[in-house]
Amino acid sequence: MKLQQLRYLVEVARCGLNVSEAAEVLYTSQPGVSKQIKLLEDELGVIVFERSGKRLTAITEPGKRVLDIAGRILREVSNIKRVSEEYAGGETGSLVIATTHTQARYALPTVVKKFVERHPEVRLSMHQGSPTQIAEWTLNGEADIAIATEALDQYPQLVMLPCYQWGHSVVAPDGHPILAESTITLAALARWPLITYDPAFAGRSRINKAFERAQLTANIVLAAIDADVIKTYVSLGLGLGIIASMAYDTARDQGLQARDVSQLFGLNTTRIGLRRGTYLRRFEYDFIELFASHLSKKAVDMAMEGSGINDEYQL
């Protein structure tokens, strides 16, 4: 049994049993992948993948167990490498952060600046995507740390660390009638065209649910993943914007005004996601604590060991 064979198994399963796609990811040939999987099945004496001709069609029951164990073995191999890199290389290495545009644009710049100053030998890179992509990248080992508001809590393979809470604001051009309202209500917002986030981003699910509970229909004329795009179209008079409060800056967003409406949509929790069983290097603990000061090494280790951190830990 070879580690390479286990990698082939896991990658084929991850690619939805598409051997050609798995071979591409692994930088090898399709026949080579098929041959190594067959050799491993022969050695184990069990069929991992059901077949129809040359095509893989399903994972067998024993195959599911084999894949689960293979995944754990490969994660531990990765951990061995991380340990050796840390102790042999000191404060060198790479750190990949997977996050959304909102976090990258508004929450992370100061953190990244401090981290780079403290760890100049660490190669830091940032992958931006949807919350679902972010979770998948982290589970697949393509990213070390996931940071998002939506979706991460739907992945039990990730350890969730609550970081901070935030609410939404309505942005409108100077002089817009909504700004004269003493209290902005859902009914008042429903009378205007609205511009807000794509359904997968930045607390959009809470916005939808709030209108549904009030039995109102929101007239959302445009959705985007970027608050700057939302504000651009608000400034053109196409509608009112609903954005994360952190995305409004009085100095930068001249011509627009913001009103806090977190009482209408509730608070959102931004979380860090870490793959279970991962060995964390010293600079990873440092990045986490820079982003959320209450997440000390002790707190993170407790969560990774299964003690858990709930949203009331610091929020």
Side-chain angles (χ1 to χ4, degrees), residues 11-35:
E11 193 59 41
V12 166
R14 192 182 74 81
C15 291
L17 308 186
N18 187 321
V19 181
S20 298
E21 185 180 333
E24 256 185 69
V25 173
L26 294 162
Y27 300 104
T28 188
S29 67
Q30 179 180 340
V33 172
S34 298
K35 178 183 176 182

PDB file of all heavy atoms in Angstrom, residues 11-35:
ATOM      1  N   GLU A  11      -8.728  11.685  -4.182  1.00  0.00           N
ATOM      2  CA  GLU A  11      -8.949  12.700  -5.208  1.00  0.00           C
ATOM      3  C   GLU A  11     -10.053  12.275  -6.180  1.00  0.00           C
ATOM      4  O   GLU A  11     -10.872  13.106  -6.599  1.00  0.00           O
ATOM      5  CB  GLU A  11      -7.659  12.980  -5.973  1.00  0.00           C
ATOM      6  CG  GLU A  11      -7.711  14.223  -6.834  1.00  0.00           C
ATOM      7  CD  GLU A  11      -8.003  15.480  -6.031  1.00  0.00           C
ATOM      8  OE1 GLU A  11      -7.452  15.634  -4.921  1.00  0.00           O
ATOM      9  OE2 GLU A  11      -8.810  16.309  -6.510  1.00  0.00           O
ATOM     10  N   VAL A  12     -10.102  10.986  -6.523  1.00  0.00           N
ATOM     11  CA  VAL A  12     -11.172  10.503  -7.401  1.00  0.00           C
ATOM     12  C   VAL A  12     -12.530  10.698  -6.732  1.00  0.00           C
ATOM     13  O   VAL A  12     -13.497  11.144  -7.365  1.00  0.00           O
ATOM     14  CB  VAL A  12     -10.946   9.022  -7.771  1.00  0.00           C
ATOM     15  CG1 VAL A  12     -12.205   8.419  -8.395  1.00  0.00           C
ATOM     16  CG2 VAL A  12      -9.773   8.891  -8.741  1.00  0.00           C
ATOM     17  N   ALA A  13     -12.609  10.388  -5.449  1.00  0.00           N
ATOM     18  CA  ALA A  13     -13.870  10.590  -4.719  1.00  0.00           C
ATOM     19  C   ALA A  13     -14.225  12.068  -4.678  1.00  0.00           C
ATOM     20  O   ALA A  13     -15.387  12.451  -4.866  1.00  0.00           O
ATOM     21  CB  ALA A  13     -13.748  10.017  -3.311  1.00  0.00           C
ATOM     22  N   ARG A  14     -13.226  12.920  -4.436  1.00  0.00           N
ATOM     23  CA  ARG A  14     -13.475  14.365  -4.349  1.00  0.00           C
ATOM     24  C   ARG A  14     -13.941  14.927  -5.688  1.00  0.00           C
ATOM     25  O   ARG A  14     -14.725  15.888  -5.735  1.00  0.00           O
ATOM     26  CB  ARG A  14     -12.200  15.082  -3.905  1.00  0.00           C
ATOM     27  CG  ARG A  14     -12.413  16.533  -3.498  1.00  0.00           C
ATOM     28  CD  ARG A  14     -11.122  17.204  -3.127  1.00  0.00           C
ATOM     29  NE  ARG A  14     -10.323  17.486  -4.299  1.00  0.00           N
ATOM     30  CZ  ARG A  14     -10.508  18.532  -5.102  1.00  0.00           C
ATOM     31  NH1 ARG A  14     -11.483  19.385  -4.867  1.00  0.00           N
ATOM     32  NH2 ARG A  14      -9.729  18.731  -6.152  1.00  0.00           N
ATOM     33  N   CYS A  15     -13.478  14.339  -6.781  1.00  0.00           N
ATOM     34  CA  CYS A  15     -13.850  14.812  -8.126  1.00  0.00           C
ATOM     35  C   CYS A  15     -15.133  14.163  -8.638  1.00  0.00           C
ATOM     36  O   CYS A  15     -15.404  14.166  -9.844  1.00  0.00           O
ATOM     37  CB  CYS A  15     -12.713  14.555  -9.102  1.00  0.00           C
ATOM     38  SG  CYS A  15     -11.254  15.575  -8.812  1.00  0.00           S
ATOM     39  N   GLY A  16     -15.906  13.589  -7.730  1.00  0.00           N
ATOM     40  CA  GLY A  16     -17.182  13.007  -8.141  1.00  0.00           C
ATOM     41  C   GLY A  16     -17.038  11.787  -9.011  1.00  0.00           C
ATOM     42  O   GLY A  16     -17.853  11.559  -9.910  1.00  0.00           O
ATOM     43  N   LEU A  17     -15.984  10.988  -8.766  1.00  0.00           N
ATOM     44  CA  LEU A  17     -15.685   9.746  -9.488  1.00  0.00           C
ATOM     45  C   LEU A  17     -15.253  10.000 -10.938  1.00  0.00           C
ATOM     46  O   LEU A  17     -15.262   9.084 -11.759  1.00  0.00           O
ATOM     47  CB  LEU A  17     -16.874   8.779  -9.456  1.00  0.00           C
ATOM     48  CG  LEU A  17     -17.453   8.465  -8.072  1.00  0.00           C
ATOM     49  CD1 LEU A  17     -18.515   7.377  -8.187  1.00  0.00           C
ATOM     50  CD2 LEU A  17     -16.366   8.045  -7.104  1.00  0.00           C
ATOM     51  N   ASN A  18     -14.865  11.226 -11.226  1.00  0.00           N
ATOM     52  CA  ASN A  18     -14.360  11.566 -12.559  1.00  0.00           C
ATOM     53  C   ASN A  18     -12.842  11.348 -12.564  1.00  0.00           C
ATOM     54  O   ASN A  18     -12.081  12.184 -12.057  1.00  0.00           O
ATOM     55  CB  ASN A  18     -14.699  13.022 -12.894  1.00  0.00           C
ATOM     56  CG  ASN A  18     -14.352  13.388 -14.326  1.00  0.00           C
ATOM     57  OD1 ASN A  18     -13.324  12.972 -14.855  1.00  0.00           O
ATOM     58  ND2 ASN A  18     -15.208  14.174 -14.962  1.00  0.00           N
ATOM     59  N   VAL A  19     -12.403  10.228 -13.125  1.00  0.00           N
ATOM     60  CA  VAL A  19     -10.987   9.868 -13.084  1.00  0.00           C
ATOM     61  C   VAL A  19     -10.145  10.846 -13.899  1.00  0.00           C
ATOM     62  O   VAL A  19      -9.026  11.194 -13.515  1.00  0.00           O
ATOM     63  CB  VAL A  19     -10.783   8.421 -13.590  1.00  0.00           C
ATOM     64  CG1 VAL A  19      -9.306   8.029 -13.536  1.00  0.00           C
ATOM     65  CG2 VAL A  19     -11.602   7.439 -12.746  1.00  0.00           C
ATOM     66  N   SER A  20     -10.664  11.295 -15.034  1.00  0.00           N
ATOM     67  CA  SER A  20      -9.923  12.241 -15.875  1.00  0.00           C
ATOM     68  C   SER A  20      -9.644  13.536 -15.122  1.00  0.00           C
ATOM     69  O   SER A  20      -8.521  14.066 -15.152  1.00  0.00           O
ATOM     70  CB  SER A  20     -10.701  12.551 -17.155  1.00  0.00           C
ATOM     71  OG  SER A  20     -10.875  11.395 -17.930  1.00  0.00           O
ATOM     72  N   GLU A  21     -10.664  14.042 -14.434  1.00  0.00           N
ATOM     73  CA  GLU A  21     -10.498  15.278 -13.670  1.00  0.00           C
ATOM     74  C   GLU A  21      -9.498  15.079 -12.534  1.00  0.00           C
ATOM     75  O   GLU A  21      -8.644  15.935 -12.278  1.00  0.00           O
ATOM     76  CB  GLU A  21     -11.851  15.726 -13.113  1.00  0.00           C
ATOM     77  CG  GLU A  21     -11.808  17.061 -12.394  1.00  0.00           C
ATOM     78  CD  GLU A  21     -13.169  17.475 -11.862  1.00  0.00           C
ATOM     79  OE1 GLU A  21     -14.187  17.051 -12.447  1.00  0.00           O
ATOM     80  OE2 GLU A  21     -13.202  18.206 -10.856  1.00  0.00           O
ATOM     81  N   ALA A  22      -9.597  13.933 -11.851  1.00  0.00           N
ATOM     82  CA  ALA A  22      -8.664  13.640 -10.763  1.00  0.00           C
ATOM     83  C   ALA A  22      -7.229  13.551 -11.281  1.00  0.00           C
ATOM     84  O   ALA A  22      -6.292  14.055 -10.646  1.00  0.00           O
ATOM     85  CB  ALA A  22      -9.058  12.335 -10.075  1.00  0.00           C
ATOM     86  N   ALA A  23      -7.053  12.919 -12.433  1.00  0.00           N
ATOM     87  CA  ALA A  23      -5.712  12.790 -13.018  1.00  0.00           C
ATOM     88  C   ALA A  23      -5.123  14.162 -13.332  1.00  0.00           C
ATOM     89  O   ALA A  23      -3.930  14.397 -13.135  1.00  0.00           O
ATOM     90  CB  ALA A  23      -5.776  11.933 -14.281  1.00  0.00           C
ATOM     91  N   GLU A  24      -5.985  15.079 -13.799  1.00  0.00           N
ATOM     92  CA  GLU A  24      -5.523  16.442 -14.082  1.00  0.00           C
ATOM     93  C   GLU A  24      -5.034  17.120 -12.824  1.00  0.00           C
ATOM     94  O   GLU A  24      -3.969  17.737 -12.792  1.00  0.00           O
ATOM     95  CB  GLU A  24      -6.673  17.256 -14.688  1.00  0.00           C
ATOM     96  CG  GLU A  24      -6.542  17.462 -16.190  1.00  0.00           C
ATOM     97  CD  GLU A  24      -7.635  18.369 -16.711  1.00  0.00           C
ATOM     98  OE1 GLU A  24      -7.637  19.582 -16.409  1.00  0.00           O
ATOM     99  OE2 GLU A  24      -8.497  17.842 -17.431  1.00  0.00           O
ATOM    100  N   VAL A  25      -5.826  17.003 -11.759  1.00  0.00           N
ATOM    101  CA  VAL A  25      -5.459  17.627 -10.480  1.00  0.00           C
ATOM    102  C   VAL A  25      -4.149  17.042  -9.962  1.00  0.00           C
ATOM    103  O   VAL A  25      -3.312  17.754  -9.389  1.00  0.00           O
ATOM    104  CB  VAL A  25      -6.590  17.430  -9.446  1.00  0.00           C
ATOM    105  CG1 VAL A  25      -6.156  17.919  -8.063  1.00  0.00           C
ATOM    106  CG2 VAL A  25      -7.858  18.149  -9.895  1.00  0.00           C
ATOM    107  N   LEU A  26      -3.968  15.740 -10.156  1.00  0.00           N
ATOM    108  CA  LEU A  26      -2.793  15.038  -9.637  1.00  0.00           C
ATOM    109  C   LEU A  26      -1.594  15.102 -10.581  1.00  0.00           C
ATOM    110  O   LEU A  26      -0.535  14.537 -10.280  1.00  0.00           O
ATOM    111  CB  LEU A  26      -3.154  13.568  -9.386  1.00  0.00           C
ATOM    112  CG  LEU A  26      -4.188  13.323  -8.272  1.00  0.00           C
ATOM    113  CD1 LEU A  26      -4.795  11.946  -8.409  1.00  0.00           C
ATOM    114  CD2 LEU A  26      -3.559  13.512  -6.908  1.00  0.00           C
ATOM    115  N   TYR A  27      -1.769  15.758 -11.730  1.00  0.00           N
ATOM    116  CA  TYR A  27      -0.694  15.886 -12.730  1.00  0.00           C
ATOM    117  C   TYR A  27      -0.168  14.509 -13.164  1.00  0.00           C
ATOM    118  O   TYR A  27       1.034  14.256 -13.201  1.00  0.00           O
ATOM    119  CB  TYR A  27       0.467  16.733 -12.187  1.00  0.00           C
ATOM    120  CG  TYR A  27       0.050  18.131 -11.818  1.00  0.00           C
ATOM    121  CD1 TYR A  27      -0.127  18.489 -10.488  1.00  0.00           C
ATOM    122  CD2 TYR A  27      -0.184  19.094 -12.798  1.00  0.00           C
ATOM    123  CE1 TYR A  27      -0.527  19.769 -10.137  1.00  0.00           C
ATOM    124  CE2 TYR A  27      -0.587  20.383 -12.463  1.00  0.00           C
ATOM    125  CZ  TYR A  27      -0.752  20.706 -11.124  1.00  0.00           C
ATOM    126  OH  TYR A  27      -1.158  21.978 -10.795  1.00  0.00           O
ATOM    127  N   THR A  28      -1.087  13.628 -13.472  1.00  0.00           N
ATOM    128  CA  THR A  28      -0.712  12.300 -13.944  1.00  0.00           C
ATOM    129  C   THR A  28      -1.714  11.862 -15.009  1.00  0.00           C
ATOM    130  O   THR A  28      -2.585  12.631 -15.417  1.00  0.00           O
ATOM    131  CB  THR A  28      -0.641  11.294 -12.773  1.00  0.00           C
ATOM    132  OG1 THR A  28      -0.100  10.066 -13.244  1.00  0.00           O
ATOM    133  CG2 THR A  28      -2.015  11.045 -12.164  1.00  0.00           C
ATOM    134  N   SER A  29      -1.610  10.618 -15.452  1.00  0.00           N
ATOM    135  CA  SER A  29      -2.482  10.142 -16.528  1.00  0.00           C
ATOM    136  C   SER A  29      -3.686   9.389 -15.980  1.00  0.00           C
ATOM    137  O   SER A  29      -3.625   8.796 -14.893  1.00  0.00           O
ATOM    138  CB  SER A  29      -1.701   9.218 -17.469  1.00  0.00           C
ATOM    139  OG  SER A  29      -1.351   8.023 -16.785  1.00  0.00           O
ATOM    140  N   GLN A  30      -4.769   9.401 -16.723  1.00  0.00           N
ATOM    141  CA  GLN A  30      -5.968   8.665 -16.322  1.00  0.00           C
ATOM    142  C   GLN A  30      -5.697   7.161 -16.197  1.00  0.00           C
ATOM    143  O   GLN A  30      -6.090   6.553 -15.188  1.00  0.00           O
ATOM    144  CB  GLN A  30      -7.094   8.923 -17.321  1.00  0.00           C
ATOM    145  CG  GLN A  30      -8.372   8.156 -16.979  1.00  0.00           C
ATOM    146  CD  GLN A  30      -9.468   8.429 -17.995  1.00  0.00           C
ATOM    147  OE1 GLN A  30      -9.425   9.417 -18.706  1.00  0.00           O
ATOM    148  NE2 GLN A  30     -10.446   7.538 -18.060  1.00  0.00           N
ATOM    149  N   PRO A  31      -5.014   6.531 -17.156  1.00  0.00           N
ATOM    150  CA  PRO A  31      -4.727   5.091 -17.014  1.00  0.00           C
ATOM    151  C   PRO A  31      -3.893   4.795 -15.769  1.00  0.00           C
ATOM    152  O   PRO A  31      -4.091   3.767 -15.124  1.00  0.00           O
ATOM    153  CB  PRO A  31      -3.962   4.746 -18.294  1.00  0.00           C
ATOM    154  CG  PRO A  31      -4.395   5.780 -19.280  1.00  0.00           C
ATOM    155  CD  PRO A  31      -4.570   7.025 -18.491  1.00  0.00           C
ATOM    156  N   GLY A  32      -2.973   5.698 -15.445  1.00  0.00           N
ATOM    157  CA  GLY A  32      -2.144   5.500 -14.251  1.00  0.00           C
ATOM    158  C   GLY A  32      -2.963   5.511 -12.977  1.00  0.00           C
ATOM    159  O   GLY A  32      -2.753   4.690 -12.069  1.00  0.00           O
ATOM    160  N   VAL A  33      -3.914   6.443 -12.893  1.00  0.00           N
ATOM    161  CA  VAL A  33      -4.786   6.509 -11.718  1.00  0.00           C
ATOM    162  C   VAL A  33      -5.626   5.239 -11.619  1.00  0.00           C
ATOM    163  O   VAL A  33      -5.727   4.622 -10.554  1.00  0.00           O
ATOM    164  CB  VAL A  33      -5.695   7.763 -11.794  1.00  0.00           C
ATOM    165  CG1 VAL A  33      -6.738   7.728 -10.675  1.00  0.00           C
ATOM    166  CG2 VAL A  33      -4.859   9.029 -11.703  1.00  0.00           C
ATOM    167  N   SER A  34      -6.242   4.850 -12.731  1.00  0.00           N
ATOM    168  CA  SER A  34      -7.095   3.647 -12.734  1.00  0.00           C
ATOM    169  C   SER A  34      -6.304   2.407 -12.335  1.00  0.00           C
ATOM    170  O   SER A  34      -6.784   1.566 -11.561  1.00  0.00           O
ATOM    171  CB  SER A  34      -7.706   3.453 -14.124  1.00  0.00           C
ATOM    172  OG  SER A  34      -8.532   4.542 -14.473  1.00  0.00           O
ATOM    173  N   LYS A  35      -5.085   2.290 -12.855  1.00  0.00           N
ATOM    174  CA  LYS A  35      -4.254   1.121 -12.556  1.00  0.00           C
ATOM    175  C   LYS A  35      -3.911   1.052 -11.069  1.00  0.00           C
ATOM    176  O   LYS A  35      -4.028  -0.022 -10.438  1.00  0.00           O
ATOM    177  CB  LYS A  35      -2.964   1.169 -13.381  1.00  0.00           C
ATOM    178  CG  LYS A  35      -2.014   0.002 -13.102  1.00  0.00           C
ATOM    179  CD  LYS A  35      -0.730   0.144 -13.905  1.00  0.00           C
ATOM    180  CE  LYS A  35       0.250  -0.979 -13.553  1.00  0.00           C
ATOM    181  NZ  LYS A  35       1.524  -0.834 -14.288  1.00  0.00           N
TER     182      LYS A  35
END
